[in-house]
């Protein structure tokens, strides 16, 4: 089952609702116990995700692609990054995250960014 790290720029509702609808998921949020502290810079979050095998879920399409490029150029990897469109209803995003967790294989998103909702 997937492991998601919810970026601090997203509402805590995402974590709570993911766990409510799919209790077998592991979902942490930046700033929570066991996750990177609040205000951790993106490059450090990517390292944490790599070391702990978590897919990063964020709404930041501006800086994350550059940080991922730098991360990969330095010889690192990530299990994946999901960038959400926060203007879409939360329920649609949650449905897509649950679908990804249940229907994708372990390395399907390795070193990639995907955007949801799916179109």
């Amino acid at each position: 089952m997937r492991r998601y790290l919810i970026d601090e720029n997203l509402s805590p509702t995402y974590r709570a609702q993911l766990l409510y609808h799919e209790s077998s998921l592991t979902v942490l949020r930046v700033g929570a116990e066991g996750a990177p502290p609040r205000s951790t810079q993106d490059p450090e979050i990517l390292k944490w995700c790599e070391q702990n095998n978590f897919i990063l879920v964020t709404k930041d399409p501006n800086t994350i692609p550059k940080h991922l490029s730098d991360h990969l150029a330095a010889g690192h990897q990530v299990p994946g990054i999901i960038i959400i469109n926060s203007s879409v209803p939360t329920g649609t995003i949650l449905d897509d995250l649950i679908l990804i967790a249940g229907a994708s294989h372990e390395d399907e998103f390795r070193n990639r960014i995907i955007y949801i909702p799916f179109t």
Side-chain angles (χ1 to χ4, degrees):
M1 199 39 89
R2 291 280 178 228
R3 296 160 53 109
Y4 290 130
L5 176 67
I6 307 296
D7 202 355
E8 69 184 289
N9 62 14
L10 290 173
S11 167
T13 299
Y14 284 94
R15 179 182 183 277
Q17 288 297 311
L18 280 168
L19 292 173
Y20 176 80
H21 291 288
E22 189 58 60
S23 62
S24 63
L25 287 174
T26 300
V27 184
L28 297 178
R29 186 168 183 265
V30 171
E33 185 177 335
R38 293 181 61 82
S39 300
T40 299
Q41 298 298 307
D42 290 341
E44 293 304 312
I45 287 179
L46 293 179
K47 287 179 187 174
W48 186 93
C49 286
E50 177 182 19
Q51 294 165 352
N52 294 281
N53 200 32
F54 275 73
I55 292 176
L56 176 63
V57 180
T58 184
K59 67 176 183 179
D60 180 10
N62 298 316
T63 62
I64 286 292
K66 170 70 171 122
H67 291 304
L68 176 61
S69 178
D70 294 345
H71 188 77
L72 297 174
H76 296 285
Q77 297 190 23
V78 293
I81 298 171
I82 298 172
I83 297 178
I84 68 164
N85 179 340
S86 59
S87 67
V88 172
T90 303
T92 301
I93 301 298
L94 293 169
D95 288 346
D96 285 351
L97 290 170
I98 291 168
L99 177 67
I100 288 168
S104 60
H105 62 78
E106 187 63 29
D107 290 332
E108 189 166 345
F109 305 111
R110 182 161 304 284
N111 300 329
R112 294 181 47 212
I113 295 174
I114 64 164
Y115 295 83
I116 60 173
F118 301 120
T119 55

